[in-house]
Structure formats: structure tokens, C-alpha cells
Amino acid sequence: MVDGISRRNFVKGGSAATAAAIAGCVGGDDDVGERKAHDDDEMGNGERPLQWIGPDWAINSEQADKMTEMGDVEVNTTIATIGDTQAQLLGGDAEITDVMTTDTTGAGALTRDNPSTIPMPVDELDNWDEEQISDLFTNPTERLSHLGAQVETVNRELWVDGDTREELLFSPYAYNFDAMGYNPSYVDDVSLWSALFDEQYEGRTIVGETAAITIPQSMMHLLDNDMLDADIGELNDPTQDQLDAAIDFLIEQKEVGQFRSTWEAYGESVTLMAGEEAVIGDLWQPAAMDVRREGTPCTYATMSDGVQGYRYWYGGMSTLIGARERRNVSEVQYLYNNVHLGAWFPGFIQGSGYSVPHYENEELVRDGSDESGDGMGPEYYDWAYRGEATYDSLDEPALFDPLDYDWSMEEGSPDSNGGTRDSGPIEERIDRIGFFQIWPSEADYMVSRWEDFLAA
């Protein structure tokens, strides 16, 4: 702890200097199981507008507008990076803000290490039905058993108590299985992170400048090739020795010219791939789609099972302590339950390539509707979740843009020349997860050593 604020799980944007500047603003000793909601009022009695903070990939004006449309509650969104979200909330804004969104690298600093949130009891969420929610979330211990000790970190992010699973600590609503994007004009099908370090792509590979992403991806390669003393359960919370091995390897790769460049901002990765300066890289899936929109073919890899699988993360929301003071606890639960676990949101967020926890509720998500709007329809749903082809044929699958396609709301037949979703059916993607992304215990050491890589 640093004067009351833990820096574990404090992401790269929240540096040591930032942590020191905000130290002492929030206490950190409350047990998360004791932070219960006491707001039993009907919606409409809280302070307005509802205050929501988080990164731009997770909060869109359409989501806020949908809350206003459905619940008659005005929503004010503050767009901030994960690090800035932490800094603002730990600096005192958790007491005047209702809900925050982040991802699994940024949540723990606010939910556990410096408790600033209120759990969501699942028995108060009508749309959280264990029969309709993927066991990726309801029972990760069994569904992700192949990850070994990494499963413990999944439960720690999700639940107040991973055994009873009665209260969500960090409520999931969007997630993905990150892989590599590559130009099929120059690269054959690839399914291993080792491709980033393949000499045949020397000088035409890109990797990101985010330590908590690039390091474990290289660790998967090293572990699978007997170059690292570790097991799969240690990949997302490595020791200092394991971090040294991965970073030293990355420095060597950089110095011999393996990488065309490293990218810091999302747009850089798109520009490098769209201009064909790079032909393969660790891209976010929306970036791969934006490369296509620039007219350059880009395929998102289908990763292998085993050690070199997908990098899995999820984005979620948590009720902040400010919601209790502002009498908005029920409004935040409505935002999560009715807007994000409803029929409309799955089709909306699939436009970014992201999936939802309640996709198994096909009666709603595929074929139904509710107060939020219509579900995805059979063609879009089957393409997104079942791995089936579009009803229309495609000339250039590596240029296919799902946002421009006219998805049928009626049952039809997949075309033999239709396009399929990159990375395949969701159940196969889950089976091939190799890494669950968190902010590791040795984060301070990781960040200090990462400077060596950036300076190389």
C-alpha cells in the first residue's frame, strides 16, 4: 500500500507519480463483502444526470441514449483511459460518480485493492440466469480448467466470493479473445504467437507498447518452445525472473530488426497494417476491421489450442460508492441488467467484434426482442457465435465489413461461398484461451524493466 492506495492493478497510465499524488484519498481496508447496496428507492429518485466514467471502447453515446430511452434517466458520460479512470476515482471522484467501466487490467485497483465499489447481487438481476449466461462467467473454474492457476484470477475479478457466486464484483458485459491480424497476401494462415517472431516476417511485424499485453504474448511463445521456466497457470502473474526472460527476449528481437515498429496508439497499428509497412501484428479486432476499411486485406487469426491460445479479457461495470450517496444504485443495476443484458446490445457491440455473456439466451439474443429493441437475427447471430457463413457469397472475405453487410432477420441458408467470422465459433474460442489478462502482482518491476525494451 502507498499511504492507503494500493498500486497493484494500477495500470500503466497510473504511474507511481500519479499514485503518490492521489495517495490517502480513499481508504483501502473495507472488506468487499460488506459493501452492500442500501438503495431501495424506485428509479427517478436519484441525483441527475447519472454519472458514468470509462474508456471510449466501452462507453458509447448509443448506450447512454438507450438508458435514457428505456429508463427515462439522463446519463452523463466521461471518456477516460483506464489509467485516468483510476486516477480520477481514487482521487475522490468515486464519491460523486455512479458507475465505472474498465477492463480486467484496471478493475482490481478499485474493486479490491482500494475498495470503491458496491457489489451487484445476482438475485437482483432478472437477466442474469445461470441457464442463459455462458459458463465462462458462471463457472470459470470448470470452463477454463486448462488455465490452471489463472482461473483463480478470473474468479477474483468476477465475484466477491468465487465459491458462492452470489455477488458480482465486476459485472461483465463485453469481452474478446485477442489474436494477431495479418495480411493474407503475404502471410499464410498463422495460429501461434510464435509467428510474430518468425524470421520470414523480419522487419514487417508490429507489437504493442503495452507491457501487460506484449510480455505475456511473448511468454506464451517462450513457454511453448521450452525457453521459459513456467507453466500456463503463471502466465498472467509472472515472477521477476520470468519477466526478465520475456523482456530480454523481446529486446533481442527488437535489436535484430524483427519489428517494423512498436505501436502505442490504436491508430498507429491501423496505419502500419493498412499501408502494408507491416504484414502481421498483435492487433485488436476492431483495428483489423479498420485496416479492411482502408482497403487492405486483413485476417484475424484463429489461434491454436494449448499454451499459445487467445489473450482473453473482459470489460465490465461496477457500481461506485457514489451511487449510494446519490441514490442511484438501482439505476446502475438497470443500466447493466436491462440495457447491457438485453436484446439490443449484443448486435450493437458485435460491430466491434466483441461478445456478450448472455449469448446462450438465443430466444432473446438471436430471435427475440425486449424493451431495449430487437435481437441480432438468425444470420448475424449464427455468423457471430456459431461460425456459420453469411447467406450471401463474398468475393473478398479478408475485406468483409460486417457493419456494411445487410444482415437478414429471416431464417436462411448459409452460402458455400459466404463469409465466416474470423476466429470461428465462440465455443472454440473459449476452448483455445491461453491467457487471462490482468494487472500482475509484479507490475512495478514489469513497468521498470519495460522501459529497457522501449529504449532498445
Side-chain angles (χ1 to χ4, degrees):
M1 299 284 285
V2 181
D3 295 341
I5 291 184
S6 169
R7 284 165 60 212
R8 183 184 178 277
N9 284 331
F10 202 88
V11 297
K12 189 175 180 181
S15 64
T18 305
I22 62 178
C25 297
V26 178
D29 296 323
D30 293 339
D31 183 85
V32 293
E34 296 178 356
R35 287 173 281 133
K36 307 296 186 182
H38 296 294
D39 186 346
D40 296 323
D41 297 300
E42 295 297 322
M43 288 182 60
N45 292 334
E47 294 185 37
R48 297 290 176 266
L50 193 74
Q51 301 291 339
W52 186 10
I53 187 172
D56 56 3
W57 57 262
I59 302 177
N60 195 287
S61 60
E62 281 93 335
Q63 293 158 260
D65 291 344
K66 186 64 70 171
M67 176 65 176
T68 302
E69 171 193 327
M70 295 171 60
D72 195 26
V73 175
E74 182 183 356
V75 179
N76 179 50
T77 59
T78 299
I79 302 301
T81 65
I82 293 172
D84 287 344
T85 296
Q86 290 177 325
Q88 291 184 45
L89 295 178
L90 294 177
D93 282 1
E95 299 176 5
I96 59 173
T97 309
D98 300 297
V99 55
M100 69 96 178
T101 288
T102 183
D103 72 8
T104 46
T105 61
L110 294 157
T111 58
R112 287 198 181 271
D113 297 320
N114 309 284
S116 306
T117 62
I118 300 168
M120 285 190 189
V122 293
D123 63 6
E124 296 180 12
L125 303 173
D126 292 340
N127 287 334
W128 187 277
D129 179 350
E130 288 211 0
E131 299 299 318
Q132 305 289 356
I133 300 289
S134 171
D135 55 3
L136 180 63
F137 300 100
T138 60
N139 195 3
T141 301
E142 292 188 11
R143 189 67 177 89
L144 298 176
S145 60
H146 63 283
L147 294 183
Q150 289 193 58
V151 173
E152 297 173 13
T153 65
V154 180
N155 277 317
R156 180 178 170 84
E157 295 290 332
L158 271 166
W159 300 101
V160 172
D161 184 333
D163 292 327
T164 62
R165 301 196 297 270
E166 294 176 348
E167 295 177 299
L168 286 163
L169 187 61
F170 181 47
S171 305
Y173 69 86
Y175 55 98
N176 207 16
F177 313 94
D178 286 356
M180 298 171 290
Y182 62 92
N183 188 328
S185 301
Y186 304 96
V187 177
D188 293 331
D189 288 346
V190 292
S191 61
L192 301 173
W193 295 106
S194 296
L196 295 174
F197 314 112
D198 192 324
E199 291 182 357
Q200 68 177 308
Y201 307 124
E202 181 178 317
R204 306 193 75 182
T205 297
I206 57 174
V207 294
E209 292 186 11
T210 302
I213 293 176
T214 300
I215 290 172
Q217 289 170 178
S218 67
M219 287 179 63
M220 286 189 270
H221 158 73
L222 294 172
L223 179 58
D224 202 31
N225 288 278
D226 298 321
M227 300 165 66
L228 182 71
D229 184 13
D231 63 51
I232 193 169
E234 298 172 289
L235 286 176
N236 70 346
D237 201 13
T239 65
Q240 290 189 9
D241 287 344
Q242 292 163 347
L243 288 167
D244 283 337
I247 293 168
D248 289 344
F249 169 76
L250 286 165
I251 290 172
E252 292 174 3
Q253 291 289 302
K254 190 175 182 182
E255 290 178 341
V256 300
Q258 180 66 22
F259 309 130
R260 168 62 181 84
S261 180
T262 58
W263 61 270
E264 180 179 13
Y266 173 98
E268 292 178 67
S269 66
V270 175
T271 298
L272 288 163
M273 290 292 292
E276 298 189 350
E277 295 180 64
V279 297
I280 186 172
D282 59 339
L283 299 184
W284 301 346
Q285 194 156 30
M289 294 297 102
D290 281 342
V291 171
R292 294 181 178 186
R293 293 174 188 125
E294 293 293 322
T296 301
C298 189
T299 299
Y300 211 59
T302 299
M303 302 301 287
S304 70
D305 55 7
V307 172
Q308 296 202 54
Y310 294 101
R311 177 172 55 82
Y312 162 55
W313 58 270
Y314 81 80
M317 63 177 64
S318 288
T319 311
L320 292 163
I321 55 176
R324 183 163 50 203
E325 301 303 316
R326 290 164 46 82
R327 306 180 70 82
N328 281 327
V329 170
S330 60
E331 280 79 350
V332 175
Q333 290 183 353
Y334 186 94
L335 175 66
Y336 179 65
N337 181 75
N338 296 69
V339 177
H340 290 89
L341 294 183
W344 165 81
F345 184 69
F348 171 78
I349 201 63
Q350 186 61 223
S352 297
Y354 302 155
S355 299
V356 296
H358 59 303
Y359 69 86
E360 292 186 3
N361 187 357
E362 294 189 20
E363 184 177 352
L364 176 69
V365 176
R366 182 184 190 268
D367 303 314
S369 63
D370 60 12
E371 60 179 335
S372 70
D374 294 330
M376 299 176 70
E379 185 183 18
Y380 196 15
Y381 180 94
D382 293 352
W383 176 87
Y385 288 102
R386 294 177 175 174
E388 295 186 7
T390 57
Y391 296 171
D392 294 337
S393 63
L394 299 180
D395 295 330
E396 298 181 87
L399 289 173
F400 174 62
D401 183 355
L403 294 182
D404 282 345
Y405 184 80
D406 186 16
W407 298 100
S408 175
M409 297 300 289
E410 305 294 331
E411 295 284 355
S413 299
D415 191 284
S416 59
N417 294 313
T420 56
R421 188 192 188 282
D422 288 350
S423 302
I426 192 167
E427 294 301 326
E428 291 184 7
R429 282 175 268 155
I430 295 173
D431 288 340
R432 297 180 179 193
I433 293 172
F435 171 79
F436 174 60
Q437 185 176 323
I438 61 169
W439 193 243
S441 302
E442 293 289 351
D444 288 349
Y445 185 77
M446 177 184 70
V447 171
S448 67
R449 280 296 333 264
W450 190 242
E451 294 301 320
D452 298 335
F453 171 74
L454 296 179

